[in-house]
Amino acid sequence: MALTLPRLSGTRLAVAAAATAALAVGAPAAYASLDDDAKPTSSSSTTAASTVARGKPYTETRLFFGTERPDGGPAVTDKQFMAFIDKEVTPGFPDGLTIQNGRGQWRDSNGRIERERSYELILLYPTTENRKRDVQIEEIRSDYEKKFAQDSVARLDERTRVDF
């Protein structure tokens, strides 16, 4: 099967070339800004301004807590979850944290699709504390799984930059 390209008039060809050039010029700056250690490589003030690294290197950890129990027991209540946060999380992360309500679904250990109310816990900490915080976070996950008969607590870690 042969690919046939449409014929472009002079005006359309010029517009297409300009759009392609704009995308090509913008791409390196966009990719460079995703790199934590990126330094401006152009003397252009626009490029330099878009790649300024703000804040300090941090790790963002998100934990996803389900509330339904695979054994059919009663769902974890808001009161139970907040008591868990107060006892198990706040002492290790007294500077702050964020909790969001959610709805999620996943396949449980019995192969069933579970749809449930959930909580997302967001923790931010300097990357220099990664080893120490990893131990604390794994204890939080394990404690929740045991206390509320959960199959797992999902974890997501990302490097980021934070400025307070």
Side-chain angles (χ1 to χ4, degrees), residues 31-51:
Y31 290 125
S33 67
L34 295 176
D35 186 359
D36 284 344
D37 302 320
K39 293 185 178 48
T41 57
S42 169
S43 60
S44 165
S45 62
T46 303
T47 302
S50 69
T51 60

Side-chain angles (χ1 to χ4, degrees), residues 128-159:
T128 57
E129 298 177 8
N130 279 357
R131 287 184 195 271
K132 170 187 163 187
R133 298 303 186 164
D134 180 66
V135 171
Q136 291 175 302
I137 291 165
E138 288 305 301
E139 286 177 12
I140 291 167
R141 293 175 72 201
S142 177
D143 290 350
Y144 189 83
E145 289 167 4
K146 289 175 189 167
K147 182 171 183 77
F148 298 109
Q150 297 292 299
D151 284 338
S152 68
V153 172
R155 177 178 178 172
L156 174 108
D157 293 313
E158 292 186 294
R159 288 185 50 161

